[in-house]
């Protein structure tokens, strides 16, 4: 059998040439590639972390800058704003974060992506979120889309005693946060108990972080 298989493979090679070392195929929303390809970033940029959502990606460099790509450009998950064109962002673009008057732009330490939302933690432990907020996955206390990075005020209120944010993670439509006090918070859609607690009011989603 093995000899016959080898002979058949050789016939194919003789007729069509050797099999390529990679495959690439066109699909309805772009193309598929089954081999790693280097991102088109300047040589000076050193990436230290990446995260993938359903149709977008984020990357953080060693200087605390964030790059985003995917589509469309006006998607809330990318964070570029609602005035962007509806075309796909096929190459990484730097993402701007709000800054206080006279202050430097915040340096990002970590990012996470859900299906259609994104989280970012600064070196100082502040949390920013943006994207689709239909299920409360942004943690802003409402269920609206946010098109640019916004500070999650829940973790900026020192009187709560939560500490600063150190780790973040995203599911499809929910988010989880760990603080310097060793506390874990979740918010968003609790499909199959994903939030880890029972809603007191019977609602299926939590729009603000909770550790209960």
């Amino acid at each position: 059998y093995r000899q016959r298989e080898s002979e058949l493979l050789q016939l194919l090679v003789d007729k069509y040439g050797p099999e390529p070392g990679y495959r690439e195929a066109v699909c309805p929303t772009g193309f598929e590639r089954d081999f790693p390809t280097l991102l088109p970033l300047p040589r000076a940029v050193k990436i230290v972390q990446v995260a993938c959502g359903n149709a977008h990606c984020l990357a953080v460099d060693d200087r605390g800058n964030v790059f985003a790509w995917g589509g469309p450009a006006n998607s809330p998950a990318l964070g570029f704003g609602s005035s962007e064109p509806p075309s796909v962002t096929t190459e990484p673009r730097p993402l701007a974060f709000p800054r206080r008057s006279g202050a430097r732009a915040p340096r990002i330490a970590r990012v996470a992506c859900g299906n259609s939302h994104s989280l970012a933690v600064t070196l100082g432990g502040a949390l920013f979120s943006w994207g689709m907020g239909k299920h409360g996955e942004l943690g802003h206390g409402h269920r609206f889309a946010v098109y640019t990075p916004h500070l999650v005020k829940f973790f900026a209120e020192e009187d709560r005693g939560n500490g600063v944010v150190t780790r973040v993670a995203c599911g499809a439509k929910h988010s989880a946060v760990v603080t310097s006090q060793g506390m874990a918070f979740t918010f968003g859609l609790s499909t199959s108990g994903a939030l880890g607690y029972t809603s007191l009011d019977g609602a299926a989603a939590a729009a603000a972080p909770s550790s209960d």
Side-chain angles (χ1 to χ4, degrees), residues 26-160:
V26 176
C27 62
T29 56
F31 65 91
E32 299 172 347
R33 181 170 292 181
D34 68 358
F35 64 99
T37 302
L38 185 66
L39 284 172
L41 289 165
R43 287 189 176 183
V45 174
K46 305 296 182 184
I47 300 299
V48 295
Q49 194 221 332
V50 293
C52 297
N54 183 48
H56 74 292
C57 291
L58 300 176
V60 184
D61 72 7
D62 59 354
R63 296 182 179 180
N65 300 308
V66 175
F67 298 85
W69 64 97
N74 61 356
S75 164
L78 285 180
F80 294 133
S82 59
S83 62
E84 290 286 324
S87 57
V88 173
T89 304
T90 57
E91 294 186 359
R93 287 174 51 188
L95 182 62
F97 284 78
R99 69 178 76 183
R100 295 178 180 176
S101 179
R104 297 177 58 184
R107 297 178 62 186
I108 303 303
R110 301 176 185 277
V111 292
C113 296
N115 267 9
S116 301
H117 73 289
S118 304
L119 303 181
V121 182
T122 69
L123 289 176
L127 178 65
F128 288 86
S129 69
W130 62 99
M132 295 300 294
K134 181 179 179 180
H135 304 284
E137 56 265 58
L138 301 183
H140 295 303
H142 61 67
R143 294 179 171 83
F144 304 108
V146 175
Y147 285 83
T148 58
H150 276 57
L151 179 70
V152 180
K153 295 180 179 179
F154 180 93
F155 296 104
E157 299 170 356
E158 296 182 1
D159 59 340
R160 290 183 180 270

